[in-house]
Amino acid sequence: MGTQAVYKSYQQLEDEDSERYLKKQADIIERRKARIEAEGHKCTVAGCGQAFKEIFLLRSHINDHNEECRKSMKCNQGKCAGLKFTNRREYNEHVDMHKEEARLKIINSIRSVLLYNKHGLLMEAFEREFRGMTGKQVPYKLLGFNSSYDLVTNMPDVVQVTHLAGGQTLLLAVPDKATEHIAKMVGNQRTNREGFNYRTGEVLASVSRDVIRKIEKTVEGKTREVPEFMKKQVGQLVQLDTFEEGLDLQEFKEVYDQEFGYPLEYQCYGFYSLEDFVFHGLDGVVEIELDGFSWKIGQSGVKKAAKTPKVQEVTSEVKDNVKKLLDENPFGVSTPTFIKSYEECFGKLNLRQLRCKDAVELCFLIPDVCDVNKAYCGDFTILPAGYQIEKETSDRKMCPPLWVLGEVKNNVWKMLRTLSFGVSLPAFEKGYEGYYGTINMEQLQCKDMMELCRRMQDVCEVKMDESGQHLVRPVNKTGQEDSATINNEENGKIPAETLLNIKRVLVKNSNRVNLSRFDYKYLEIIGENLNHKRFGFSNLKSLLRSLDGNLFKMNWLAIDPAIKLLTGSENTVVEPDLVMECVVQAGWVSVMKVVSPGLIYLQMEGMTEKVKNMEDRMDHFYTEEKAGQKNKPEQLHVGLAVAALSSDLSWHRGRVLAIKEDREVAEILFVDLGQRALVKMDTLRCLDRQFRDLPMQAVPVGLCGLTGFGCERVWGREAVDVLRDIVERGKGRAWVQKRGKMGDTVEVDLFMKSQRNGLKWGPGKILDSLFLMMINQELVDKGVVEVVTGHRTGVLDRAMMIEGVSVPGMADRDLQRLILARLVRIRREEDG
């Protein structure tokens, strides 16, 4: 028997290459050390050859050579072969010529290092790449600068310096005429975050798209020309038999990605949109044809038979959806309500794909499902097919459209159809307003609710009971609702993801939930409502009845039946006991996330190191050790604490906010960062016990004593933008003082470094912590928020802050306090 071949993984091969490279470099260094120990450091000046044991002795010797050449006016460069001058001016001009040559050589080296990086290099990576390419450090001292940063910032014609939001410095090459063609070729390359300079790609992956666009505008070289290899790819794509009838333009990008394994990045070539790329970049490669209301891409130069126009037919799926929608609204709806309800229940209504101008044209194409009525004012009402319209008794010009009263009828019908008894007229009116809002009696041409109910005799009736109280009762219609429910139960198809969500609800509630509480529990655990209409059921009870005996059992004879999970469907759910509350204390904090003045996520500076250590342990546990248990799909629910990967490819603690089963993702709140993200469910891990003890460090707080204009806790866009701008200018560092608690929100006063110059103590030391502005008051002064009536403005507790300020050379705390207090008094006198 032959031996089985063993193949190494990509990572194993990479590790082996890295080990070989490191070993080779170590051997080179060892040989260099051995040679220096044996021969010493030799002088390279022609005719000298003297050796020294220490490098500083060699440098001193070379300086002596240079001084001797300067005195004798002799050139010490090798290519000049000891050229000697008799005139000091000519000698100085010759030296300046060599300096200019050295400067141009350095410029070319810097440009060559940066030019081959499409989106530039970080400052921290630039020096390493320069040394790796030229074998020398960046010679900034030769040009009279103190650091590499000073060198590149003083060469705007060579390097474009960009400062990123995270504090990093990005260097971009500015090409000249000689290197312009190289810049164009690099600019047309496909964007790739991987490669030797991984750190730069990692940082750029975390910045916003606006920053990338700004960088791309800075880097010239966009020719608006598509490379030949891409033209061939597109040509091969449209020649496939699958796209014989043409490829839809909206699907083109996705198909390209699936076929070739990487995204179609048309922006890299200078095109502004997909349409711009196809119409102008692929001219002569493909042909564009308007098919109905959408563009299709086909082969260039291929003659197609003329198509005879066909009458558009609406699909049976759309017809069924419209019929279900009108079954739930039997008295008609307006056009906007029709579109809104359709998309809420069945998803996006693509009228262009159906070749319809609007919803009214769609309804005209399905007369067997619906009718359309046009009012004198021009408004349309969409009605079920065969709906009998009452004759108008008043002036037609004065009558409102049918949907005005029809939508109220629909709402009342939905409210009363589950009741077999009457409710008092005041309670009915209050309940209606609670569900659907205030009724516009003037638009309905009614004086009060009594008159309105009497106009809706086909929906409800008003009777007086023995006590003289008016009761509103539904009008009995024999057999209609029951038959509709039976039909829905027979035809309704429930997706597998919805069944899994129902199972989650039962598992989370000890395998049992009462029918009256099921909607609430579903929303609480899954994070969204269970829309029974979308699956063709008239109510929740009929949906659950269709699953009885398959997934659970119900006792339908009970007043409030209990839904019990069938034996064998249970799953044990491990609940991590993550401490979700963290005490807010007075001290310095980092502002992690600004949502609004009423919701800001803070992290105490004293806990930063603990969080970092914990996340390092999580990376080691989940990535290197590959430990940690996967969460089963049925075990996920809202509020579950998990370990999740964020955009920085590190593990963080998170909490499930919502589950989107159709997209196989969950919305996660990272409890130590204050950020939200959609994460694939198959990447989530159970939070191990060792990571549960530390409370969540992204503490949600609100600014004390503030409210939005017109409505409490509703903040304007301007208020949020101003707050974020203040935090960004303060570099996210602030002093916090707790004021109180309103409901579940901790209210605080937040102080941040002001733009005024602080007092100086010693050379370059500024006591910034003594001069802070209150962000709460700053928002009020800028006129973007209001102060709550009766609120008392907070005061910065300087005594507590001084406890944390250290003065160099002062070990005695009492003396330290005395000096700091005196400095504050001096500053106040200067301001006064």
Side-chain angles (χ1 to χ4, degrees):
M1 294 179 64
T3 58
Q4 186 177 1
V6 178
Y7 297 96
K8 295 181 180 179
S9 65
Y10 177 80
Q11 187 61 44
Q12 288 175 330
L13 294 174
E14 285 286 319
D15 292 341
E16 290 179 1
D17 287 342
S18 178
E19 288 178 5
R20 282 195 296 269
Y21 173 78
L22 293 176
K23 185 178 179 181
K24 180 180 178 182
Q25 294 299 317
D27 292 341
I28 293 173
I29 293 172
E30 289 297 327
R31 288 197 300 270
R32 185 180 299 167
K33 286 182 179 180
R35 180 176 58 80
I36 291 174
E37 288 178 359
E39 301 177 2
H41 300 279
K42 289 185 178 181
C43 177
T44 57
V45 176
C48 182
Q50 191 174 349
F52 301 88
K53 291 184 178 181
E54 301 294 339
I55 187 67
F56 72 90
L57 295 175
L58 173 64
R59 289 174 180 171
S60 177
H61 176 74
I62 292 176
N63 288 337
D64 293 339
H65 275 300
N66 293 335
E67 186 64 26
E68 182 182 348
C69 290
R70 197 161 29 248
K71 288 179 179 180
S72 59
M73 293 186 292
K74 184 188 296 185
C75 181
N76 59 1
Q77 299 297 314
K79 65 179 183 179
C80 291
L83 180 63
K84 190 173 182 180
F85 295 86
T86 58
N87 187 298
R88 176 64 63 179
R89 176 179 292 180
E90 292 179 358
Y91 172 75
N92 291 338
E93 290 176 354
H94 184 78
V95 171
D96 291 339
M97 180 193 70
H98 281 302
K99 288 183 178 180
E100 181 63 20
E101 289 177 354
R103 191 183 73 84
L104 293 176
K105 186 176 181 181
I106 294 170
I107 287 175
N108 290 334
S109 299
I110 293 174
R111 189 177 274 129
S112 62
V113 170
L114 297 176
L115 201 59
Y116 292 98
N117 294 276
K118 182 176 181 178
H119 290 141
L121 273 176
L122 291 178
M123 186 69 204
E124 60 192 66
F126 165 68
E127 295 181 340
R128 182 175 64 253
E129 298 302 332
F130 188 94
R131 185 171 63 252
M133 180 174 288
T134 64
K136 300 177 181 178
Q137 298 286 350
V138 180
Y140 53 85
K141 289 185 178 179
L142 181 63
L143 300 180
F145 295 99
N146 295 324
S147 64
S148 300
Y149 178 80
D150 291 341
L151 173 64
V152 296
T153 52
N154 284 278
M155 303 172 68
D157 56 334
V158 179
V159 182
Q160 174 70 42
V161 181
T162 302
H163 298 283
L164 302 179
Q168 299 90 351
T169 301
L170 187 70
L171 306 181
L172 302 161
V174 179
D176 56 3
K177 289 185 178 180
T179 57
E180 194 174 14
H181 65 289
I182 300 176
K184 289 181 179 179
M185 289 189 293
V186 173
N188 287 335
Q189 289 179 349
R190 185 171 63 88
T191 300
N192 189 4
R193 302 289 182 215
E194 300 172 355
F196 67 94
N197 191 11
Y198 178 77
R199 175 59 183 160
T200 302
E202 185 181 35
V203 172
L204 291 177
S206 63
V207 301
S208 64
R209 183 61 192 165
D210 293 337
V211 177
I212 295 296
R213 288 198 187 100
K214 194 178 295 183
I215 294 172
E216 289 176 349
K217 286 181 180 179
T218 304
V219 181
E220 297 180 2
K222 299 299 174 62
T223 60
R224 287 180 61 84
E225 294 181 3
V226 182
E228 288 298 325
F229 82 92
M230 182 168 286
K231 290 182 179 180
K232 291 180 181 179
Q233 287 180 332
V234 176
Q236 295 170 4
L237 194 63
V238 296
Q239 289 176 9
L240 296 176
D241 295 338
T242 310
F243 308 116
E244 185 177 356
E245 296 296 326
L247 173 61
D248 193 278
L249 181 62
Q250 302 303 321
E251 299 176 355
F252 172 54
K253 189 176 180 181
E254 183 180 354
V255 171
Y256 184 93
D257 189 1
Q258 293 176 353
E259 182 69 20
F260 299 106
Y262 48 85
L264 177 64
E265 296 177 335
Y266 49 82
Q267 299 96 338
C268 299
Y269 309 114
F271 297 98
Y272 302 104
S273 63
L274 183 61
E275 290 79 3
D276 183 26
F277 171 74
V278 174
F279 276 93
H280 299 100
L282 298 179
D283 187 23
V285 180
V286 297
E287 288 186 354
I288 311 298
E289 180 184 5
L290 186 62
D291 184 16
F293 287 90
S294 61
W295 292 101
K296 284 197 172 181
I297 304 173
Q299 299 181 45
S300 177
V302 177
K303 294 184 178 181
K304 297 181 180 180
K307 295 182 179 179
T308 56
K310 297 180 181 179
V311 178
Q312 177 63 24
E313 294 184 0
V314 181
T315 62
S316 58
E317 180 184 2
V318 175
K319 285 185 179 181
D320 293 340
N321 293 340
V322 173
K323 188 175 185 307
K324 292 173 185 177
L325 177 62
L326 294 178
D327 286 343
E328 287 295 314
N329 299 275
F331 301 99
V333 292
S334 64
T335 306
T337 304
F338 174 83
I339 295 175
K340 180 181 177 182
S341 301
Y342 187 99
E343 293 185 348
E344 285 178 353
C345 296
F346 310 108
K348 181 70 175 176
L349 178 60
N350 195 336
L351 293 171
R352 293 187 63 183
Q353 190 174 1
L354 296 170
R355 300 187 181 183
C356 295
K357 182 177 67 174
D358 50 27
V360 174
E361 184 176 344
L362 170 64
C363 294
F364 276 126
L365 292 174
I366 46 176
D368 55 329
V369 176
C370 59
D371 291 334
V372 179
N373 178 265
K374 184 178 181 182
Y376 184 82
C377 63
D379 276 3
F380 291 95
T381 303
I382 301 173
L383 301 159
Y387 183 85
Q388 298 296 325
I389 302 175
E390 298 179 1
K391 293 184 179 180
E392 300 168 355
T393 57
S394 58
D395 186 6
R396 183 170 179 266
K397 295 182 180 180
M398 301 299 295
C399 289
L402 293 180
W403 64 262
V404 175
L405 181 62
E407 290 188 356
V408 177
K409 284 184 176 181
N410 292 331
N411 296 337
V412 174
W413 177 69
K414 293 172 187 176
M415 285 180 61
L416 297 178
R417 66 179 175 176
T418 57
L419 301 178
S420 59
F421 52 86
V423 294
S424 65
L425 189 62
F428 172 75
E429 184 174 5
K430 185 176 180 180
Y432 185 95
E433 291 179 354
Y435 274 106
Y436 305 108
T438 306
I439 300 175
N440 190 340
M441 293 294 180
E442 184 179 354
Q443 187 181 23
L444 293 167
Q445 300 178 358
C446 295
K447 296 179 181 178
D448 51 22
M449 181 61 76
M450 175 68 76
E451 184 179 350
L452 176 62
C453 290
R454 286 175 176 170
R455 284 189 60 186
M456 300 187 295
Q457 296 180 4
D458 50 346
V459 178
C460 62
E461 58 182 3
V462 180
K463 297 291 184 181
M464 186 178 293
D465 63 2
E466 297 176 355
S467 62
Q469 186 179 21
H470 288 94
L471 298 179
V472 181
R473 297 189 304 184
V475 175
N476 292 327
K477 292 188 177 182
T478 58
Q480 291 183 2
E481 186 178 345
D482 295 338
S483 62
T485 301
I486 293 171
N487 289 334
N488 282 332
E489 289 178 359
E490 292 176 353
N491 298 328
K493 295 181 180 179
I494 305 174
E497 57 266 20
T498 304
L499 297 177
L500 187 57
N501 287 339
I502 293 174
K503 187 176 179 181
R504 285 194 183 104
V505 175
L506 296 175
V507 170
K508 184 67 172 58
N509 291 276
S510 303
N511 304 325
R512 174 182 177 139
V513 180
N514 284 63
L515 179 61
S516 61
R517 301 281 295 168
F518 191 84
D519 267 336
Y520 171 76
K521 291 294 183 183
Y522 191 95
L523 176 61
E524 179 184 9
I525 295 170
I526 305 304
E528 61 184 12
N529 289 312
L530 177 57
N531 191 344
H532 53 82
K533 300 176 187 176
R534 186 172 185 177
F535 311 125
F537 294 92
S538 60
N539 51 49
L540 176 63
K541 189 174 181 179
S542 61
L543 184 149
L544 296 175
R545 179 176 286 181
S546 68
L547 301 175
D548 188 19
N550 297 324
L551 184 61
F552 50 77
K553 284 187 177 182
M554 294 178 66
N555 181 11
W556 297 102
L557 299 178
I559 297 175
D560 188 11
I563 307 169
K564 299 179 182 179
L565 196 64
L566 288 175
T567 305
S569 300
E570 300 90 343
N571 286 281
T572 304
V573 180
V574 180
E575 289 286 351
D577 51 350
L578 175 64
V579 181
M580 301 307 293
E581 293 187 2
C582 184
V583 179
V584 179
Q585 300 174 340
W588 289 103
V589 296
S590 297
V591 180
M592 307 299 292
K593 177 81 173 177
V594 175
V595 180
S596 69
L599 181 57
I600 304 172
Y601 288 95
L602 308 177
Q603 185 181 105
M604 305 299 295
E605 282 196 348
M607 302 300 293
T608 304
E609 193 63 29
K610 291 185 178 180
V611 174
K612 184 179 183 303
N613 292 337
M614 181 192 64
E615 290 177 348
D616 288 343
R617 289 190 290 112
M618 290 180 69
D619 283 336
H620 180 77
F621 182 78
Y622 290 106
T623 302
E624 297 181 17
E625 296 184 359
K626 293 183 172 55
Q629 182 181 0
K630 278 191 175 183
N631 288 103
K632 295 181 179 179
E634 62 270 14
Q635 292 178 345
L636 288 176
H637 61 81
V638 173
L640 181 68
V642 295
L645 279 170
S646 69
S647 58
D648 61 357
L649 300 181
S650 297
W651 289 94
H652 302 279
R653 300 187 302 171
R655 183 175 54 174
V656 179
L657 297 182
I659 300 169
K660 304 183 184 300
E661 192 71 47
D662 53 340
R663 297 166 58 186
E664 297 183 351
V665 296
E667 185 177 1
I668 302 298
L669 170 66
F670 292 102
V671 298
D672 298 318
L673 305 177
Q675 299 174 358
R676 299 186 180 197
L678 293 176
V679 182
K680 288 188 176 182
M681 290 192 290
D682 57 0
T683 64
L684 298 177
R685 298 291 185 270
C686 294
L687 190 64
D688 197 71
R689 187 176 300 277
Q690 60 180 309
F691 308 122
R692 305 178 198 168
D693 297 333
L694 188 68
M696 73 174 206
Q697 294 304 309
V699 186
V701 300
L703 297 182
C704 182
L706 303 184
T707 181
F709 290 106
C711 185
E712 186 179 1
R713 295 296 176 185
V714 177
W715 310 98
R717 183 72 242 173
E718 187 179 3
V720 178
D721 291 341
V722 170
L723 177 57
R724 287 176 178 169
D725 181 62
I726 292 173
V727 171
E728 184 177 353
R729 284 190 284 112
K731 297 183 179 179
R733 188 171 187 260
W735 176 270
V736 66
Q737 289 179 186
K738 182 178 178 182
R739 290 291 300 276
K741 198 170 184 180
M742 179 176 288
D744 296 333
T745 304
V746 177
E747 293 196 324
V748 300
D749 287 334
L750 210 58
F751 301 86
M752 191 163 279
K753 188 187 303 181
S754 68
Q755 301 302 311
R756 300 160 56 188
N757 294 326
L759 280 175
K760 293 187 177 180
W761 177 268
K765 302 296 182 181
I766 301 177
L767 300 179
D768 294 318
S769 60
L770 297 176
F771 307 102
L772 303 177
M773 68 175 178
M774 180 186 286
I775 295 181
N776 311 46
Q777 188 62 38
E778 187 73 9
L779 294 178
V780 175
D781 294 341
K782 289 183 179 292
V784 294
V785 296
E786 291 180 334
V787 179
V788 176
T789 305
H791 171 70
R792 188 176 63 183
T793 304
V795 180
L796 178 63
D797 190 347
R798 297 187 182 276
M800 184 177 297
M801 185 178 294
I802 288 174
E803 291 287 340
V805 178
S806 59
V807 180
M810 293 297 175
D812 190 332
R813 185 168 295 276
D814 292 335
L815 181 59
Q816 174 182 329
R817 287 186 178 182
L818 179 62
I819 293 175
L820 291 174
R822 180 58 182 165
L823 289 173
V824 173
R825 192 178 300 112
I826 293 172
R827 183 56 183 264
R828 287 177 178 172
E829 291 173 358
E830 290 178 354
D831 293 343

